Each structure stands twice: as C-alpha cells, then as structure tokens.
Amino acid sequence: MRLVSIMVFIALLSMVSRVHAEAPDESDLARAYGGAEFVTVATGARQPLARAPAVATVITARDIREIGATNLAQVLETVPGIHASVSGPGYNPIFMIRGIYSDFNPEVLMLVNGIPITNLFLGNRSQAWGGMPVEDISRIEVIRGPGSALYGADAFAGVINIVTKTADEIRGTRIGMRGGGFGTYGGWILHGGNYRDTKVAFALQARTTDGFHGTVDQDAQTALDRLFGTQASLAPGSVNTGGRRLDARLDLARGHWRFRTGYQGRFGYGTGAGGSFALDPVGSGGGHRFNADLTYHTLDLNPNWDLKARLSYFDVATKTDLVLFPPGAFGGTFPNGVIGNPDVFERQGRLDLSAFYTGFRRHRVRIGTGVFYGDMYKTRETKNFTIGPGGIPTPLGGLVDVSQSAPFIRPHHRTDAYVYLQDEWDFVRDWALTAGVRYDRYSDFGGTTNPRLALVWQARYDLTAKLLYGRAFRAPSFAEQYNINNPVALGNPNLKPETINTAELAFDYQPTPAFRAGVDIFHYRMSDIIRFVPEPAPATSATALNSGSQTGNGLEAEFTWHATPAFTLRGNYAFQRSIDDRTGTDAGMAPEHQIYLRGDWRFIPGWSWDAQGNWVAGRRRVAGDNRPPVGPYLIVDTTLRHRVGHTGLHVAASIRNLFDRRAKEPSPAPGLIPDDLPLPGRSFYIEARYDF
Amino acid sequence: MFPMIPAISRGRKALVALCLALPWLIGAAAASPVVPVVIGVLYPDIPAPYREVFTQIIAGVRATPGIMVRRYPLEQDADPVALRRWVRTHGCRAVIALGRRGVAAAHDLDDPPVPVIAGAVLITDPPADPGLVGISLAPDPARLFARLRELAPAVRRVAVVYNPIHSAWLIGRAREAARAQGLQLTALGVGDLRAAVDQYRRIFEESDPGRLAVWLPQDPTTVDARLVLPLVLQAAWDRDVAVFSSNPAYVARGVLFALYPNNMAMGTSLGRMALRAARRRRPRAPRLRLLRDLSIAVNLRTADHLGLVFTGRQVQGFDLVFPVSR
C-alpha cells in the first residue's frame, strides 16, 4: 500500500510537466513584477527584516492556504526539522524540533506577534490549547536552534513566531466557511480598513468539531485490570478530540502607536487518550487566553536610532474535568471513576524596551531591556481520591474541594529582569560577525547568561555560508518546581534551568532564478535536563531533578523549484540522531528521518491544485521501553481551489490523509497506551470564502 | 458554568466595546457628502496572483476623492456591444482601461465617445495608438536614478544595454534624467541576447569599482534571467558594481535594488487623470507617462558587499527587503 501511495503521489506530481503559456496581460505583469511568485510578494504587505542570523523558515499566508491547512500544527509539519506529534492527554501538539522531545513540549518558544504565550504551570501553551486557527495568520517565522540570546527563556529547541494580519493585508472584508470530516464546521470574518487615520484590523474565527475517533486497543486501565482482576477499562475505545473554539483579534495602528488584543476561548475539549492514559469519554478541558499589548515604535528621534517600547498583558485559564480512571477502577472502589478537576489561572505582564543603533560604521548594534511578572494567582482542584501508600488512589468518599487542604500545586509567581546586547559587525568585506549576549535574573532560580555568535560569509552572489553557535535555557515550570501531593511528580524549588549549546553550519544556494536550495548540519548538547526521578527504595515517589544530558547531531536540506510559471515543487529532508548520555542509547520518540514533498500547480486559469506528502520514519523507543519502534508512515494531502467566475468567491476541496494510512504517534514510555496514539484517517473538507 | 475572573471580565468588556464601535466607525467613514463622478474601470479577468494587481489598482482608483468606480471584468472575448451598453447604462464619464485587454476593449468605445485612460500595460515607443493617454508599467528612469544617487552616492556613471526597437523612447527619457542627476549614461544598443552578453562583458572589463552602476531595463531581448542575469551578477559581485533594475525578482537574486509598481498609488494617479478627462480638461503633457508611483525592493546582502550603509529610517522605508533571513 505504501508503495502504491508513493507511486500515485509521484505520478500526480509528474502530470504537471506541461509548460504553462501566459496571456499577454500576465506577460506584462510578470515583467513588471518579476513573475507570478513575485506578484504575490509585491502585492503583499511590507516584509520585515529578519532579526538575527539563524536557520530560519518563513511560511506565508499563501503557503497556508495552498496546502489547505486548518490549524497551526499542519503548517509546522511542513518545516524541515520539525515534527508535530501529539500528547496522550488532550492530544495537544508536541513540536519536536531536531529530535528534542518531552511530554509537555516546553522547549519550544511560541510567540504571537513577538510576545510569548508560554504558561507558567507546565511551560507549554496550556493543556486546553485547542489549536490555533490560521485565517488571521500573515506569516509564521520559525527559527530552528537556540534563541535565548534575544528571546530569553524557552527559545531552546526553536522559536515559532506567529504574526497576525494587519489592516493593510486584509483590506476590506473577507468571510469564509469550512466544513468536513469528523463533524467539523467553522467560519470566519476578517475586516481591515482605515478609519480616521487609524488602521483597524479585526478577525473573528469560530469552529466546532466532534474530533476523530481513532481506536485505542489497550490503555493504562487495561494493565490495572490485569492487576486487580477487573474489567473497568474502556479500551478498545476511541480517543476524544472534539471541542469548540472562538478566536477574536483586534489591531489598531495610528502613527507610532499600535494596540493589539485577542481572545481565545476553548470549550469542551476532549481528553484525547485520557488524563492518565486511561480513556475518558466524559471528561473535558477548556479555558481562555486573553492578550493585549501597546507598542510605540519610532525612527524619528534620530536617524541612527530605531526605538521600540512595548507593554503587554497575557491572561490564561485552564480548566479541566477529568475522569482519570474509569468507573470500577482499583478493585471497584471508585464506582464513578477516579475524578480529578485541576484548574490553573495565570496572568503575566511584560515591559520590553529595545533599540537598534546604526551610528557606528560597519556595526549594527541592538540593545534591549525589560521586566516580566508572571503570577499563577489561583489554583483550584476538586477530586474524589487521595494517593495512598504505594501510589494507589484511595476514595475520599465523594468529590472534595482540596484547593486549600491538599492541592496539586499552590499559587506562585516569578519575576524576570533582563538586558541584552547584540552587535552585527561587518569586519571584513563579505564577512559579518554577530555577537550577542543576554542576561536574565529570575526571582526563583537566579541568573542565567546566554551568548550567541554567528559568522556569516557571503561567498558568492548566490551562495551564503553561516557558522552559528548559541546557548539557550529553559526555565523550570511551576509544576517542576512546586508540585505537591502527586507522588509521581513532586516539585523541587531548587531546580536550575535546562541548558543547551548548539553549533550549526548552514549554506544557502540559488544557482538559478528558479531553484533555491539550503542545507544545514547541527550538533547540540542539552545539560541539566529536568526529569521526575524516582527516589531510592523503599520510597515510591519521584521528584523533579536536573538529571542527565542529551547529545544530538543531524542535518536538514530543502529546495524550492519553480519548474514552470504555473508549477512549483518544494521539498525537504531532515535527519537527526539524539543520544541520551545516561544510557548511551537513542533518546527516542522523535523521527530520525522526515521527507516532505509538495507540488503546487495552477493548471488552468482560476484553478489550482496542491499535493503534499510527508514521510515520517525512525521513531525509536527510549531506554527501558522494550516495545518495537513505531512504524513509519507516509501521509498525502491534496487541495483543489477554484475562483468562481468574476466574483470574489473562492471554493476549495481538500482531502487529508488521502490514502487513509493508519498512522500513529508514539505514546511515552513505559507505554501506558501500548499500541501508541492513532492519528486521523482520511477526511474531506470543503470551503467557501468571499473577499469583498 | 465557570466563575468569571475579574481581569478577563474587563478584557472581554473592552473587546466587546471595540467591536461595537467598529460599525459606527465604518458608518462615519461612509457618510461622505461629495457628489462623485462615475468612472468605469475595465480590467482583464485573469486568475490569481495577477488579479491582485488589478484589485489593488482599483482600490487606488476608489481612493481618489470625487470618484465613484464601476468595474467591468473583461473575459478573453469581450462583447463590444455589451461593453458600450454597460458604459451608457452606468453613465461613465471616463473609462480607465487596465492591461492590454482593457486597452483593446476601450478602442470600441466610440459611441458615445468616452475619454479613455490606459494603465497597467507596458507601452513601448512608439505607442500603438498615438492618442493614448495613461500610465505605463515601465518605471520612470528619473525615479530610478534618484534612488540610485540616494543608495549609492559614489556612483557617477550608469551603463545600460538596450534594444533600440523596444526601448529607444525609454533611453531618450533616461538621458535627460541622468543629466538631471549628474550621472553619465552609457547606452549601448544591441539586437539580441548574444550581442547583449558581449556588451555586458565590455562594460565590466572597463568598470570603475564603486563609480559604475548597471541598469537592467524591462527588456527580455537584452536581459534574460536564465543566462544573462547570472553572468551580470557574478561580474558585478567580483568588480563591486551596483546593478539596479525594475524587476523585484532580480533583487532576490542579488541586484542591489529595483523599483516596481505601487498599485494603490498608481490607481489613485489613474483616478486623477480620469477625473481630469471626465471634466474635459486637456491631459497634462506627456499624454502617456512613465510610472512614478513606485515601491522599492533592496538587497541588503548586496549592499553590505558594496560597502553601502543605510540608516534605520532608510531601511524602514524599503517596501521589500532581501534576503528574508540573513
């Protein structure tokens, strides 16, 4: 079947060899704008200057539309070196960059318009993430490798910056609807305009989905049933991935000032494969994320100074109602199941000041300073169990509010004050050295200094080589520092941050106007990795410790080929091998090989067709997990788009997982879901959008 | 179901208030007391991404004060009778004809005669219709040279290889523009790509690093992206010669800068010309002018190589900057 998939995919791509003939008007415009590709660039919004030398990928709104992506994870899967996996609880995305994996994925810094959306509790993007809709995204900037010298905490394996659309990009009103597989329906309205010298952009997006129902044959309760002689497990049964979401954003810009605010509501999200890896069709998660920022940006004070000041606020609530183990678990002592409902409420404030100075010849200096205040101001929990000796839940006699008496964590806060300096120095013709360093002073774990160096050589007009080094850190999450009353995951307030040192060598080559290729090789070493380590016997608990290190090597190669004015082929290959230094074995979970290939074909005027294939392979187990490696998969998606007549109406049809491959993502060791986590099978979507 | 958090409650209220204010703002903007002149815009109905060019030009025409725009998308075989009827029915006082298809269709608008302004078309010398009024897609050399002086102030001489059949008119304008900027223009006429390659080779052999710039015009008979451009870029890189163009795609390859159409501003200029024509005023000379509503793309990597330093404010003013990642 896999062979057939590959052959059909290649056949589909090879069908497009017909040379496209342009009409006279298109020919004139192609000469004035530099071809179809550049018409899009030239008619788009102003592009920003990249901030620092790095191995970076920029994904545009056009890319997102062409591949038929409906959420962020689908988009990021196309980036070389990134694999979007899923976690068991909640089926939240885990963005593995260059083989770096952990259960909650705090090693990846996600920004929205340059502002972190990291949660203090787990260091991730909330357990009620619910995805990120894509209609309001202007572009996604992805940096693989360390970025703490500029971005601070958690720019560890990589940085993902989501930039939303401005009024200039939206220009007018755009509405759309989409529906399809797994009971998914949604719509959006975007508006951008200029009102009394104020540029206004507004976006509202809503979606509901039943979620796909991939089958889990055995779960954590299956193993407990064997121990207790019960039959409580709901496996075989389906994962629960439905939910409703509402996203609203507003962007007001006037002169030097910009105000942006956003709201993301997440309602009734399914528990995935269960909060404790035991299927839970009843539980759900939800919450909200609210953000606002006010930015002042000027170049008027002095020709050599580019100044920016930003005040931002982020508020996030994660609420969960979980049946951790089903009714009848633990010998029938829990007739309603083991219930735990932990809720976490946080708010964060930031003040950032930054400036570029170009007054020194051959130097571009960037300086910045700021403060951060993060407050997990409320935690709440009701549950019907307590953990007894040996880690076995014992009933509390009903649902009890333990928020004050024995919560999973108590409120905590932290502050960070930072300063950074970076200089890009053109020290010899065609050679530039960027040196930067950032110092962060945290109220809880102290100071950390993170440098970066980048040597860039413009070898020829069409070839650039970069040698990069950077150190980055990940701040311990509050769960890792302050968890209590959870014997298998006790916090440790004395934790140090995880660190990573990375060296990269990258080449970018464009031998012809139609062809561009890039390749990079990397080496990294993670130290002071934070893990929950079992206490020596007879204790049965595990406490967070800085324990062990990991070393990784790999390469990423990518190309873009505009084969004809109407057909473009893109692809990339990523290889990584990461070793857990404690055991000397593969660090596991992440794919060793990934191949991505995509073709876009405007085969007749008004019609376009996109096909993409993503091959994921070489996912080994961590040391001590004796299950066989997770099988490889090739998933092919295709999207057909059409503009109807002379109107602003566009329709599209997509098929995701065209060949209905039964793909799986690895469940973490020791394998409470022994047969891993199923991914969605084939699904169909249709979409209509109208641009006024 | 869930208790409301005070901070969020405030945030939501603010968001709701802003959303409610939006229709009011829209309404306020729409209430304009001006009695508009109806201008018809004929444009080729071509697919994305080129269609966006016309969408933006039309948005620029709409932004011209005192104009009401009526749009007429043209299919390949547009019916002239239907078009005449459409112009009459909508009371169009002037027509803006975009693209070659638009200009061709506008030829038939003689009953009743309506002033026609041409736009979004590469018009060469001599124009097919000497009576044509409008704006060419070709950038005005005066703007190109002014930008060159701003970005590379040490340059004193500009060399261009051109085809006299296609670009004699343009080169005539360029000579005047170069003189005005204190630049010496060396224009070398050729008939084909092979001759062009020879001329480029000669230019670079005699080049004076830092003081010479090469201009690549919009002419496929003298500049070819596949063969000529790599040769020019490699030679320019080796000899420190600035290369500039009217093609932003070339900037991504290594040309120092290019000027390309600013569609919104071009639309507004066309709108003003149409308004003038509708009021039966004589068009300002020249009747057919080169494009002055231009955006700029700059390659900072090439600028670094040439030792050119730009201020933050200059960089902020660039519409496109390459490379995207440095």
Side-chain angles (χ1 to χ4, degrees):
Chain A
M1 180 63 191
R2 190 185 320 150
L3 189 65
V4 172
S5 304
I6 294 168
M7 288 171 65
V8 171
F9 181 59
I10 290 171
L12 290 174
L13 292 177
S14 64
M15 280 166 57
V16 301
S17 57
R18 182 173 69 97
V19 176
H20 179 79
E22 289 191 323
D25 280 313
E26 287 161 302
S27 165
D28 276 2
L29 297 174
R31 280 166 65 184
Y33 296 85
E37 194 71 18
F38 267 83
V39 168
T40 306
V41 176
T43 54
R46 185 185 184 281
Q47 292 206 355
L49 178 61
R51 270 166 281 213
V55 177
T57 301
V58 177
I59 305 157
T60 64
R62 183 186 176 203
D63 292 321
I64 295 169
R65 196 169 57 243
E66 282 178 349
I67 62 175
T70 58
N71 69 56
L72 184 66
Q74 292 166 345
V75 179
L76 292 174
E77 183 68 27
T78 68
V79 177
I82 297 187
H83 174 53
S85 185
V86 294
S87 67
Y91 257 54
N92 290 313
I94 295 178
F95 302 116
M96 299 180 194
I97 300 183
R98 295 176 164 176
I100 296 173
Y101 167 88
S102 72
D103 290 350
F104 296 113
N105 198 213
E107 305 85 359
V108 175
L109 176 64
M110 189 171 285
L111 313 165
V112 174
N113 295 318
I115 300 169
I117 56 168
T118 311
N119 288 202
L120 297 162
F121 176 49
L122 291 169
N124 66 355
R125 297 157 291 277
S126 138
Q127 284 300 86
W129 167 240
M132 173 76 96
V134 296
E135 294 305 328
D136 189 34
I137 294 177
S138 164
R139 65 182 186 280
I140 303 169
E141 301 161 348
V142 182
I143 294 175
R144 306 190 292 281
S148 287
L150 269 186
Y151 301 98
D154 312 325
F156 189 90
V159 181
I160 297 163
N161 184 26
I162 298 159
V163 182
T164 55
K165 286 177 178 166
T166 61
D168 287 342
E169 288 170 271
I170 300 170
R171 274 201 311 268
T173 303
R174 303 177 181 198
I175 59 170
M177 292 181 296
R178 183 184 294 121
F182 315 124
T184 304
Y185 304 97
W188 63 89
I189 177 166
L190 275 65
H191 178 78
N194 203 341
Y195 302 101
R196 299 182 177 178
D197 298 328
T198 300
K199 291 181 175 177
V200 179
F202 174 74
L204 187 68
Q205 303 173 82
R207 191 198 74 170
T208 178
T209 179
D210 296 338
F212 84 101
H213 292 97
T215 299
V216 166
D217 291 326
Q218 300 177 64
D219 63 359
Q221 183 58 40
T222 309
L224 289 171
D225 283 343
R226 282 190 213 110
L227 273 175
F228 286 86
T230 52
Q231 288 190 319
S233 174
L234 300 175
S238 71
V239 295
N240 299 286
T241 58
R244 304 180 307 282
R245 71 185 184 202
L246 178 68
D247 291 69
R249 290 194 188 275
L250 179 69
D251 180 340
L252 306 173
R254 182 176 186 143
H256 296 302
W257 294 90
R258 161 160 267 145
F259 173 74
R260 282 183 289 219
T261 186
Y263 167 80
Q264 296 186 293
R266 299 292 180 265
F267 313 98
Y269 264 81
T271 55
S276 294
F277 295 94
L279 291 176
D280 173 11
V282 179
S284 67
H288 63 249
R289 296 184 284 276
F290 171 80
N291 70 280
D293 69 272
L294 182 66
T295 304
Y296 179 80
H297 182 201
T298 181
L299 292 122
D300 292 342
L301 297 181
N302 182 301
N304 294 321
W305 283 98
D306 176 339
L307 301 171
K308 188 186 275 186
R310 187 170 57 205
L311 191 63
S312 63
Y313 175 75
F314 181 53
D315 187 307
V316 56
T318 305
K319 302 171 208 170
T320 45
D321 296 311
L322 306 174
V323 181
L324 296 167
F325 294 96
F330 300 102
T333 51
F334 289 94
N336 297 319
V338 178
I339 297 171
N341 305 323
D343 300 338
V344 180
F345 303 86
E346 301 179 12
R347 52 189 163 219
Q348 305 175 11
R350 293 169 197 272
L351 174 65
D352 303 283
L353 306 169
S354 64
F356 285 96
Y357 180 70
T358 50
F360 302 128
R361 186 166 161 70
R362 294 187 169 277
H363 289 266
R364 274 181 287 271
V365 179
R366 185 175 186 187
I367 54 173
T369 186
V371 289
F372 162 75
Y373 175 73
D375 187 11
M376 191 172 73
Y377 63 93
K378 186 164 75 173
T379 59
R380 194 170 59 192
E381 186 179 23
T382 54
K383 62 181 185 180
N384 69 349
F385 68 96
T386 186
I387 301 292
I392 303 296
T394 53
L396 279 175
L399 207 56
V400 176
D401 187 336
V402 295
S403 307
Q404 302 303 322
S405 56
F408 60 104
I409 195 168
R410 292 190 188 281
H412 287 275
H413 67 268
R414 75 165 39 138
T415 58
D416 171 35
Y418 69 85
V419 59
Y420 64 79
L421 175 67
Q422 178 178 285
D423 180 31
E424 189 183 336
W425 176 30
D426 298 330
F427 64 101
V428 177
R429 207 173 118 92
D430 298 329
W431 290 82
L433 178 69
T434 300
V437 64
R438 172 168 160 151
Y439 176 74
D440 287 77
R441 181 82 198 170
Y442 276 81
S443 57
D444 44 3
F445 60 82
T448 173
T449 304
N450 293 276
R452 74 170 285 119
L453 280 172
L455 185 64
V456 179
W457 178 35
Q458 296 171 1
R460 288 162 44 102
Y461 80 93
D462 54 3
L463 175 66
T464 301
K466 301 176 192 175
L467 183 63
L468 310 165
Y469 162 76
R471 182 180 190 272
F473 75 103
R474 170 174 91 75
S477 69
F478 281 5
E480 289 163 337
Q481 289 177 301
Y482 306 120
N483 259 7
I484 49 178
N485 299 314
N486 183 353
V488 296
L490 287 172
N492 174 1
N494 299 316
L495 287 175
K496 295 183 292 185
E498 274 184 15
T499 58
I500 187 168
N501 286 277
T502 305
E504 300 163 270
L505 179 63
F507 298 93
D508 189 281
Y509 182 46
Q510 189 172 8
T512 74
F515 186 82
R516 192 191 80 78
V519 63
D520 66 85
I521 56 174
F522 63 85
H523 168 83
Y524 74 80
R525 183 176 160 83
M526 289 165 63
S527 303
D528 291 326
I529 297 174
I530 300 171
R531 295 188 172 104
F532 287 97
V533 178
E535 308 283 351
T540 54
S541 57
T543 302
L545 288 176
N546 290 106
S547 165
S549 59
Q550 179 173 314
T551 306
N553 297 289
L555 71 84
E556 289 137 7
E558 59 185 314
F559 76 93
T560 304
W561 179 38
H562 302 293
T564 75
F567 179 64
T568 300
L569 191 65
R570 296 173 176 83
N572 62 63
Y573 167 71
F575 163 79
Q576 65 81 28
R577 188 82 203 274
S578 299
I579 302 295
D580 182 342
D581 297 332
R582 284 185 313 177
T583 59
T585 58
D586 196 284
M589 303 298 278
E592 197 166 281
H593 306 277
Q594 264 182 282
I595 295 176
Y596 173 78
L597 197 61
R598 167 184 157 203
D600 297 306
W601 187 25
R602 288 186 293 276
F603 53 100
I604 46 173
W607 289 84
S608 69
W609 178 49
D610 176 286
Q612 63 175 9
N614 185 39
W615 184 66
V616 175
R619 293 167 298 168
R620 300 166 197 249
R621 302 294 183 180
V622 302
D625 185 342
N626 297 320
R627 291 177 293 167
V630 190
Y633 63 74
L634 170 68
I635 286 184
V636 175
D637 309 314
T638 185
T639 299
L640 184 68
R641 290 193 174 276
H642 174 53
R643 178 190 167 218
V644 179
H646 306 141
T647 66
L649 179 64
H650 300 250
V651 293
S654 295
I655 307 173
R656 300 202 76 84
N657 195 354
L658 177 65
F659 301 111
D660 202 22
R661 293 283 298 156
R662 296 190 183 282
K664 292 197 169 182
E665 288 299 323
S667 63
L672 296 173
I673 305 279
D675 298 325
D676 295 309
L677 304 166
L679 289 180
R682 181 168 46 227
S683 55
F684 301 86
Y685 297 89
I686 55 168
E687 171 193 304
R689 59 175 74 214
Y690 195 90
D691 298 345
F692 292 92
Chain B
M1 181 177 166
F2 300 117
M4 185 69 83
I5 308 152
I8 282 304
S9 171
R10 281 196 298 275
R12 276 183 180 164
K13 278 179 188 167
L15 195 65
V16 168
L18 284 163
C19 298
L20 291 175
L22 205 60
W24 177 79
L25 287 167
I26 296 166
S32 169
V34 177
V35 179
V37 174
V38 177
I39 303 292
V41 180
L42 318 181
Y43 64 100
D45 185 29
I46 56 175
Y50 296 104
R51 186 167 48 84
E52 183 62 15
V53 172
F54 297 116
T55 305
Q56 291 187 359
I57 294 172
I58 293 166
V61 178
R62 275 189 209 284
T64 314
I67 280 185
M68 177 187 280
V69 169
R70 297 287 180 196
R71 303 192 308 173
Y72 192 93
L74 293 159
E75 294 200 52
Q76 231 151 14
D77 305 311
D79 177 4
V81 177
L83 177 60
R84 277 197 291 270
R85 194 183 317 120
W86 179 85
V87 168
R88 257 199 313 274
T89 309
H90 287 90
C92 297
R93 303 258 311 273
V95 162
I96 295 173
L98 299 178
R100 291 198 211 179
R101 202 183 292 173
V103 172
H107 269 295
D108 300 321
L109 293 178
D110 48 3
D111 180 26
V114 181
V116 174
I117 308 296
V121 60
L122 275 176
I123 300 162
T124 54
D125 180 38
D129 177 357
L132 208 58
V133 178
I135 303 174
S136 170
L137 269 179
D140 189 335
R143 298 292 159 106
L144 279 166
F145 296 156
R147 277 292 195 175
L148 177 68
R149 289 306 307 267
E150 179 202 334
L151 301 179
V155 168
R156 289 288 172 273
R157 188 164 74 90
V158 174
V160 59
V161 178
Y162 74 104
N163 186 330
I165 297 169
H166 298 131
S167 306
W169 176 54
L170 188 67
I171 296 301
R173 298 276 182 92
R175 285 188 201 284
E176 293 168 28
R179 245 193 317 273
Q181 290 289 339
L183 293 167
Q184 180 196 341
L185 183 70
T186 307
L188 305 165
V190 296
D192 56 34
L193 277 177
R194 183 183 294 270
V197 169
D198 288 342
Q199 290 292 9
Y200 283 120
R201 197 165 285 145
R202 204 159 298 142
I203 289 169
F204 285 110
E205 278 168 5
E206 298 163 5
S207 66
D208 181 6
R211 299 177 74 80
L212 172 73
V214 171
W215 172 29
L216 304 179
Q218 288 169 338
D219 186 344
T221 61
T222 61
V223 186
D224 166 63
R226 207 168 285 271
L227 301 171
V228 177
L229 185 65
L231 291 174
V232 169
L233 289 175
Q234 185 63 60
W237 183 270
D238 294 342
R239 291 174 171 79
D240 289 348
V241 172
V243 182
F244 63 101
S245 160
S246 325
N247 185 332
Y250 290 179
V251 181
R253 295 294 324 280
V255 162
L256 175 63
F257 77 92
L259 300 185
Y260 62 96
N262 177 332
N263 300 322
M264 280 284 286
M266 179 179 16
T268 304
S269 294
L270 288 167
R272 285 204 196 99
M273 291 174 92
L275 202 56
R276 200 174 168 81
R279 289 171 179 158
R280 302 290 164 185
R281 292 181 193 157
R282 287 160 57 85
R284 292 192 175 100
R287 297 165 65 85
L288 182 68
R289 70 170 170 84
L290 293 164
L291 185 61
R292 292 177 206 148
D293 304 301
L294 295 158
S295 298
I296 184 167
V298 178
N299 189 314
L300 296 181
R301 182 177 180 273
T302 303
D304 282 347
H305 174 74
L306 294 171
L308 305 173
V309 180
F310 306 137
T311 64
R313 193 165 178 73
Q314 275 181 304
V315 174
Q316 186 76 10
F318 300 153
D319 299 280
L320 289 174
V321 171
F322 295 96
V324 172
S325 166
R326 300 183 75 202

